[in-house]
Amino acid sequence: NKPFKIRPEDILASCHSHESTRGFQTVAIDFGTERGRLISELLKIVKDPDSLNLDQCAAIYYLGEMRASEAADVLATKITLKLDYKHLNIDGLLVMPVDFPTEALVKIGTPSIPPLIRNLVESDDAQVRKLSLQVLYRIDGDKDITQLRLQKALKAETDSTKQARLQAALKALAAMSLAK
């Protein structure tokens, strides 16, 4: 792996252009390329079945902090992943979430919505559907908007099993309150 070229100080320096766009353009192009490369490397860790739980959670955390919309599909498939404390040496208090995928999907926001609705429609796992609905509601921040999304998906759905799942999600939504 070749090292990344762009450092935070390069980005900050490019913001002091001294009336020339050359420094900004050079850094901005490299920044976009390196951001994409970093996201790709983090996604490899998340997708690798041999990656340790902590490694996957750490990669998911960074993807969320980066608001990496490219990661929404993969993170939606990992929505039930939780940090496994049993095999960790924890020095001090952990200041990060336990539910890394749900927090990352909320931070990514709107690009997470299609994969979350797909989870609601297609997943056989009740926990995946429950978490997907909770995250969808947190992204929207408004029960009516979430309800409209689910009703629209229901109207477009022809499969009876998938329709039943969406109807169940609508019923569960009615009982929810917006909480973390």
Side-chain angles (χ1 to χ4, degrees):
N1 280 347
K2 70 178 189 172
F4 288 90
K5 293 182 346 186
I6 301 297
R7 301 168 304 156
E9 48 270 21
D10 297 329
I11 295 167
L12 293 172
S14 79
C15 295
H16 300 285
S17 64
H18 306 292
E19 312 227 356
S20 170
T21 61
R22 184 177 308 254
F24 165 70
Q25 286 180 325
T26 302
V27 173
I29 290 167
D30 287 343
F31 177 79
T33 301
E34 291 200 352
R35 180 183 188 278
R37 187 174 139 220
L38 178 56
I39 290 168
S40 177
E41 292 297 320
L42 291 168
L43 282 169
K44 282 181 190 174
I45 295 167
V46 175
K47 291 181 201 176
D48 184 352
D50 295 328
S51 288
L52 297 174
N53 173 272
L54 177 59
D55 296 350
Q56 287 186 15
C57 289
I60 289 169
Y61 172 81
Y62 291 120
L63 290 165
E65 289 299 306
M66 293 173 70
R67 298 343 189 233
S69 59
E70 308 92 316
D73 280 324
V74 172
L75 297 182
T77 67
K78 295 280 191 174
I79 198 163
T80 59
L81 180 72
K82 294 191 184 312
L83 184 60
D84 180 5
Y85 289 103
K86 291 181 279 208
H87 306 290
L88 295 179
N89 177 12
I90 301 176
D91 297 325
L93 294 174
L94 191 63
V95 294
M96 294 182 211
V98 176
D99 301 326
F100 286 86
T102 60
E103 294 304 312
L105 288 162
V106 168
K107 286 179 180 178
I108 292 169
T110 304
S112 299
I113 292 171
L116 291 168
I117 291 175
R118 191 168 44 251
N119 278 356
L120 289 170
V121 169
E122 296 178 359
S123 180
D124 293 329
D125 185 330
Q127 185 67 7
V128 167
R129 293 192 308 271
K130 176 183 174 189
L131 291 171
S132 296
L133 181 61
Q134 289 172 349
V135 172
L136 182 61
Y137 184 27
R138 285 180 60 202
I139 289 169
D140 287 332
D142 184 313
K143 194 179 283 192
D144 292 338
I145 293 172
T146 305
Q147 183 178 357
L148 286 171
R149 287 188 196 285
L150 296 175
Q151 288 170 338
K152 181 179 177 185
L154 179 61
K155 186 176 179 182
E157 188 54 62
T158 57
D159 180 275
S160 61
T161 302
K162 294 176 180 182
Q163 286 175 339
R165 288 179 179 157
L166 287 166
Q167 288 168 339
L170 281 162
K171 185 176 179 183
L173 176 66
M176 289 175 69
S177 61
L178 186 56
K180 191 174 173 194

